Amino acid sequence: CLIVVSIKINCYICLSINIICIGKIKESFFKDAINEYSKRLSKYCNLNIIELSDEKLPSKLNDKIIENIKNTEGKKILSHLKKDSYKICLDLHGKQFSSEEFSSKIDSISLNYNSSITFIIGGTLGISSEVLTCADEKICFSKMTFPHQLIRVFLLEQLFRAFKISNNETYHW
């Protein structure tokens, strides 16, 4: 007598999610939210947040200064990128997803591409063209502009929601 059992194995814990971001979090309410979602995500993935220092903004900006600052911050980001990771830039010109679509995207990447995903959050002025060029994908949470500290919280919450959706767990509804 042969019994065949099909088991869905949750291999998310094998998934590494890296978040490379420009700028330190100073506000305690952002830190609290980041810590809470990081703790929740530990059930589903190995999370690594890499904070890189931002460049000081002069009182007067022009296009050349903006490009120089973005390029300097971009070099910092590039030095922390792993070649074998699927790279996603958070960018105003990126593709927008529903929560369900984002969850499917994370599933697809983890199953078809790699066991490592790196999200990149630029500084106040955005992300350099060099970093955008090396990204596998660009996504946008909203066409509205938000502080990059708040986007980090949005990203962590949406990652948590994505794992809950994938596992048919209550939270999303």
Side-chain angles (χ1 to χ4, degrees):
C1 179
L2 177 66
I3 300 174
V4 178
V5 179
S6 176
I7 301 173
K8 180 183 176 191
I9 298 173
N10 183 349
C11 194
Y12 286 123
I13 205 66
C14 304
L15 181 63
S16 287
I17 295 199
N18 307 296
I19 300 173
I20 299 176
C21 35
I22 297 291
K24 304 277 185 205
I25 298 292
K26 296 173 185 88
E27 297 84 357
S28 61
F29 51 90
F30 285 141
K31 286 180 183 178
D32 290 344
I34 289 166
N35 289 335
E36 178 61 29
Y37 282 112
S38 296
K39 185 173 71 176
R40 291 180 186 190
L41 282 164
S42 68
K43 175 181 175 184
Y44 303 103
C45 66
N46 296 314
L47 179 67
N48 183 30
I49 299 175
I50 302 162
E51 286 186 338
L52 305 173
S53 62
D54 53 352
E55 295 297 302
K56 302 258 187 254
L57 298 180
S59 57
K60 292 191 176 193
L61 289 172
N62 60 41
D63 290 343
K64 185 175 181 178
I65 293 171
I66 289 170
E67 278 307 303
N68 286 340
I69 290 171
K70 285 168 50 173
N71 287 335
T72 300
E73 292 175 346
K75 284 181 179 33
K76 293 177 191 178
I77 292 168
L78 290 169
S79 72
H80 286 83
L81 287 178
K82 296 176 182 169
K83 290 181 183 178
D84 63 342
S85 188
Y86 190 91
K87 295 168 257 332
I88 301 174
C89 284
L90 275 61
D91 181 64
L92 281 174
H93 304 290
K95 181 179 179 186
Q96 290 186 309
F97 291 92
S98 69
S99 293
E100 293 85 356
E101 291 167 338
F102 185 65
S103 177
S104 292
K105 185 66 177 177
I106 298 298
D107 283 346
S108 175
I109 294 168
S110 65
L111 293 172
N112 299 314
Y113 293 98
N114 211 319
S115 61
S116 175
I117 302 172
T118 299
F119 290 92
I120 301 162
I121 302 172
T124 302
L125 301 175
I127 300 174
S128 73
S129 58
E130 189 176 6
V131 173
L132 289 170
T133 300
C134 81
D136 297 299
E137 187 144 3
K138 296 166 202 72
I139 64 170
C140 177
F141 282 155
S142 172
K143 296 296 181 188
M144 300 172 91
T145 303
F146 295 100
H148 56 276
Q149 299 92 335
L150 187 55
I151 289 298
R152 195 177 318 178
V153 175
F154 286 174
L155 174 59
L156 291 169
E157 192 282 334
Q158 284 300 301
L159 285 167
F160 179 67
R161 183 177 300 273
F163 288 119
K164 293 297 240 178
I165 291 168
S166 289
N167 287 292
N168 294 317
E169 296 174 0
T170 57
Y171 172 79
H172 176 61
W173 318 113

